[in-house]
Every structure is written in structure tokens, then in C-alpha cells.
Amino acid sequence: MDLAISTGAQGLMWAILSLGVFLSFRILDVPDMTCEGSFPLGGAIAATMVVAGVSPWLAIVAAVIGGMVAGAVTGILYTKLKIPAILAGILTQISLWSINLRIMGGKSNLPLLKVKTLISGLAASFGMTQAQASMIVGIVLAVAAILFLYWFFGTERGCSLRATGANQSMARAQGINTNTNIVLGLMLSNGLVALCGGMLSQYQNFAD
């Protein structure tokens, strides 16, 4: 039973990554390869901060911010320097491998077996198994991500971002700053991807 619960929890965490990829590839219509670097970036930031004694929740927030910064870099390369989207993402992704190693102190693997993570802390506080705690965390974060995106895409900025992905020329004709929307969309996308990376590092008790 615990195996089924644990598998479901891991699926919920991966679902957050799929939301981020869906946002860039389908809604924004930008083939963004940054996610291959922002995913381990989220794990590296979260694991390093947890090992340093920082709150696991703050580590997750920092991971999301790190992913958003990576997305912003790709967006600026694409919109301001006119580098093709795929190449801009690859450049950021390649850079992130070195950055991730630097964040982890030069180590290729950072174990979290003897530190308090979000899941182990929840399990200890409420007397539940690791699998049950991971399921609760997965549900909370997945629902929070879905509700945030549902709210955001109902706002004026969210509608303009969807319009940018649907037809950039028409969006610009309507007075929409498509470059700003592309950067924002890539920030949101990679923030979600890094959130998944940060959560999985705490779920699996290591960052690699």
C-alpha cells in the first residue's frame, strides 16, 4: 500500500514539471530547453539549503526563484539578443550544469539522509509514514500550482500571455508587449520545473 501511495505522490510532483513544460511549449509556443537545467537547479538549491539548516519550505521558495531567474535569462537571450528560442534555452541549460555543481559545493551528489526535509518533518510531526507525508505534500503543491495558474490566466496579464502564444503579430497589433510576456512566461514555466526539482530532491533524499 505504501508503495502505491509513494508512487502516486511522485506522480503528483512530476505533474508540476509537466505543467511548466506545457506552459512554455503549448501556451507560450516557445520551444524552451531551459527546463533540462532548471530542474536540477531546483534540486541543487533546495538540497544545499536544507543541508545548511534552512527551513525546507524556504528552500523550496528559493528553488522556485532560482528557476525563474534561469527562465528570465533564456527569455532575455531570446527577446533582446534575438537568439533563437531553442539555442537560447540550450545555452542557459549548459551554463546551469556548471552553476549547479558550484551551488552543491563541487559535489555531484548531495545526500539528505540525516537532515530534516519537508516530508520527513511532516511525517515526524503527525506520526505518519514517509509515503503518506509525501502524498500530502504532493497533493498540496500540485493543487496550489493548478489554482495559481487558473487564477493567473484569468487575469489581464494572463490573457495577454495566452494571446502572445496564440499569435504574436496580432498581440502586438493590440498593443501587447510580447517580449515582456515571453520573459514572464518562461519565468513561470521554469519556476514550476524548479519547484518539481526541489520537491523531488527532498522526496528522494538526495540531489544529483
Side-chain angles (χ1 to χ4, degrees):
M1 185 61 183
D2 274 357
L3 178 60
I5 295 174
S6 181
T7 303
Q10 190 172 359
L12 287 169
M13 296 176 193
W14 282 107
I16 297 174
L17 181 142
S18 68
L19 285 174
V21 175
F22 177 82
L23 199 160
S24 60
F25 276 79
R26 295 290 295 172
I27 295 180
L28 199 57
D29 195 26
V30 174
D32 179 32
M33 300 299 293
T34 315
C35 56
E36 195 170 335
S38 58
F39 175 72
L41 172 66
I45 292 174
T48 302
M49 293 185 70
V50 168
V51 169
V54 179
S55 165
W57 282 109
L58 288 178
I60 290 296
V61 172
V64 172
I65 293 173
M68 294 180 73
V69 171
V73 170
T74 299
I76 292 171
L77 291 175
Y78 174 47
T79 59
K80 300 300 182 183
L81 302 184
K82 305 303 179 184
I83 298 175
I86 292 180
L87 181 56
I90 291 173
L91 288 173
T92 307
Q93 165 211 326
I94 292 172
S95 302
L96 283 173
W97 289 110
S98 298
I99 293 170
N100 291 340
L101 282 172
R102 179 59 64 89
I103 291 172
M104 294 171 65
K107 301 175 182 177
S108 61
N109 187 284
L110 195 61
L112 303 177
L113 296 174
K114 297 182 180 180
V115 297
K116 180 182 178 182
T117 65
L118 190 60
I119 293 170
S120 63
L122 183 65
S125 299
F126 294 94
M128 58 181 69
T129 64
Q130 292 279 333
Q132 292 169 337
S134 61
M135 175 61 83
I136 291 174
V137 171
I139 290 173
V140 169
L141 290 178
V143 169
I146 291 170
L147 290 177
F148 169 75
L149 291 178
Y150 180 82
W151 166 81
F152 175 74
F153 285 118
T155 64
E156 183 177 349
R157 174 62 68 180
C159 289
S160 69
L161 194 150
R162 285 190 290 151
T164 299
N167 190 322
Q168 284 195 41
S169 298
M170 181 59 71
R172 283 193 294 268
Q174 298 297 321
I176 295 174
N177 189 330
T178 55
N179 286 346
T180 299
N181 282 341
I182 289 172
V183 173
L184 176 61
L186 291 176
M187 289 176 67
L188 290 175
S189 171
N190 286 281
L192 289 172
V193 172
L195 170 61
C196 176
M199 274 311 309
L200 279 173
S201 69
Q202 295 194 42
Y203 167 79
Q204 297 176 340
N205 287 319
F206 71 89
D208 187 275

